[in-house]
Amino acid sequence: MEKGEFGLIDWIRKQVKVPDGVLGIGDDCAVLPQHDGLETLVTTDMLVEGVHFLLDDIDPYSLGWKSAAVNLSDIAGMGGKPVGTFLSIALPKGLSDSYLERFFEGYKALSDRFSCPLLGGDTTASPDRLCINVTVLGTCAAGQSRKRSAAQPGDLICVTGTLGDSAGGLKVVLDNLEKNGEEGVLRERHYRPVPKVEEGMSLAATPGINAMMDISDGIGSDLRHILEESGAGARVDVRSLPLSAELRTVCARRGWDPVGLAAGGGEDYELLFTCRPGTKVPVPHTVIGEILASPGLRWEGTDKDFTGFRHF
Ligand code: ADP
Ligand code: MG
């Protein structure tokens, strides 16, 4: 794949013409205006065995949970309210009924938490791997969904929660480390992320919050999407990245670099947003940098560059 993941998506984007008023490819969700002062948000994401998860590592409940969570997170990234999901599964031979029952329990537990029912889907056989595709519909007051393209020079760059826990949890899983203690907490963050749906909705209702997206590939990658879509640059001070106590402890114990995990690691499913200085931000957050008029992402407090995750 010579174009790379984002090159391919850009190429696909250039092939399509989207009607006026509709937001298509390029953000966490597509946005379709409705007549009643609302807009509809739509997002879809696929999880492929061997790429996004290893069947022997993740338990089926967590896999179901995470399949719903990563998709609801894209609705959260626009500030929307999730209203329903569609689940398509391609099942390899030999997957037991009890495996699928546990998968559905996890999927339902996460969806119920956000009162977001399963409304449909598709079921098929797979020659080899388990593949899961989830589509989520959401709503937002007209004009309120937050786009990647709205960052302005001078905006503060903010994140909710802590960064790097999920990437640390993945290392815990791959290195087959403890299942409890701080390592266990990171493992849980990796397997059972909680999308920041309520936080996204209150941010979208706040004037002064400009660009927003969820953090799926790591800020090193995700912030670049905001910069590209907004035609802006940024500086980020890695010393200000919010790190959990558990990540600090495990990194100290194992000799890992917490900053690399926080800036370059994916799957935190926190929110990344920009706001005018002085905005009364309604959710707990950390300021990590500033939007600049000149292009490029400049890291401060490090001589490394962090690019985040990409598929190819
Ligand atoms: P996210 O990580 O937020 O799910 P992605 O990086 O997967 O976002 O996708 C970025 C944008 O590209 C989204 O708007 C998505 O809908 C779009 N996109 C990705 N793959 C395709 C595809 N094969 N065809 C059309 N649009 C795509
Ligand atoms: Mg996203």
Side-chain angles (χ1 to χ4, degrees):
M1 177 65 58
E2 305 89 47
K3 288 181 172 54
E5 179 185 355
F6 299 128
L8 177 62
I9 294 173
D10 269 349
W11 180 83
I12 295 173
R13 190 174 174 177
K14 290 197 188 94
Q15 312 304 307
V16 292
K17 172 134 180 48
V18 176
D20 286 349
V22 172
L23 180 68
I25 296 171
D27 219 307
D28 289 325
C29 299
V31 183
L32 303 150
Q34 303 300 325
H35 296 295
D36 48 4
L38 290 176
E39 44 195 29
T40 296
L41 309 180
V42 189
T43 181
T44 190
D45 252 315
M46 187 148 61
L47 285 89
V48 176
E49 180 190 341
V51 178
H52 299 92
F53 63 91
L54 300 171
L55 212 53
D56 293 339
D57 281 331
I58 189 166
D59 62 285
Y61 184 98
S62 296
L63 184 60
W65 173 289
K66 192 165 179 176
S67 303
V70 305
N71 279 277
L72 260 64
S73 179
D74 276 321
I75 299 284
M78 307 289 293
K81 176 180 163 43
V83 296
T85 69
F86 291 78
L87 169 65
S88 298
I89 39 180
L91 304 171
K93 279 197 185 67
L95 219 56
S96 67
D97 285 354
S98 65
Y99 186 98
L100 290 169
E101 283 159 18
R102 284 294 286 159
F103 175 89
F104 273 99
E105 276 173 40
Y107 188 92
K108 190 167 179 309
L110 190 279
S111 308
D112 285 354
R113 188 164 170 160
F114 297 102
S115 309
C116 186
L118 177 60
L119 300 177
D122 196 18
T123 305
T124 143
S126 164
D128 181 16
R129 311 268 171 111
L130 173 60
C131 298
I132 301 154
N133 177 249
V134 178
T135 300
V136 189
L137 301 181
T139 56
C140 200
Q144 226 178 58
S145 60
R146 292 306 200 264
K147 319 291 187 305
R148 297 179 181 183
S149 56
Q152 298 287 332
D155 279 4
L156 303 177
I157 302 168
C158 308
V159 294
T160 59
T162 55
L163 301 179
D165 295 332
S166 177
L170 178 61
K171 275 174 81 66
V172 167
V173 170
L174 295 178
D175 292 357
N176 215 356
L177 304 178
E178 283 90 314
K179 292 212 161 59
N180 34 38
E182 287 87 359
E183 280 82 356
V185 172
L186 299 187
R187 188 186 280 264
E188 173 95 3
R189 299 248 168 88
H190 181 67
Y191 280 157
R192 301 201 190 163
V194 179
K196 298 296 174 291
V197 173
E198 285 96 0
E199 292 84 344
M201 288 167 67
S202 42
L203 287 165
T206 305
I209 307 293
N210 284 340
M212 185 159 74
M213 68 183 296
D214 74 319
I215 306 176
S216 53
D217 296 339
I219 54 161
S221 172
D222 292 329
L223 179 55
R224 274 179 236 268
H225 292 312
I226 287 186
L227 301 182
E228 277 159 24
E229 297 296 325
S230 302
R235 59 171 191 82
V236 169
D237 191 332
V238 297
R239 292 161 295 201
S240 60
L241 297 178
L243 305 176
S244 69
E246 291 85 1
L247 185 67
R248 285 177 198 275
T249 303
V250 173
C251 285
R253 187 147 60 216
R254 309 277 169 193
W256 299 346
D257 170 26
V259 168
L261 294 171
E267 302 205 294
D268 286 311
Y269 300 107
E270 294 292 341
L271 297 175
L272 169 65
F273 60 95
T274 78
C275 67
R276 298 312 299 161
T279 302
K280 261 188 96 45
V281 178
V283 300
H285 66 285
T286 306
V287 176
I288 61 167
E290 185 192 4
I291 298 290
L292 306 172
S294 56
L297 172 50
R298 293 179 261 301
W299 299 99
E300 295 174 351
T302 179
D303 47 18
K304 293 195 189 129
D305 190 20
F306 305 98
T307 50
F309 180 80
R310 42 195 73 189
H311 280 280
F312 36 78

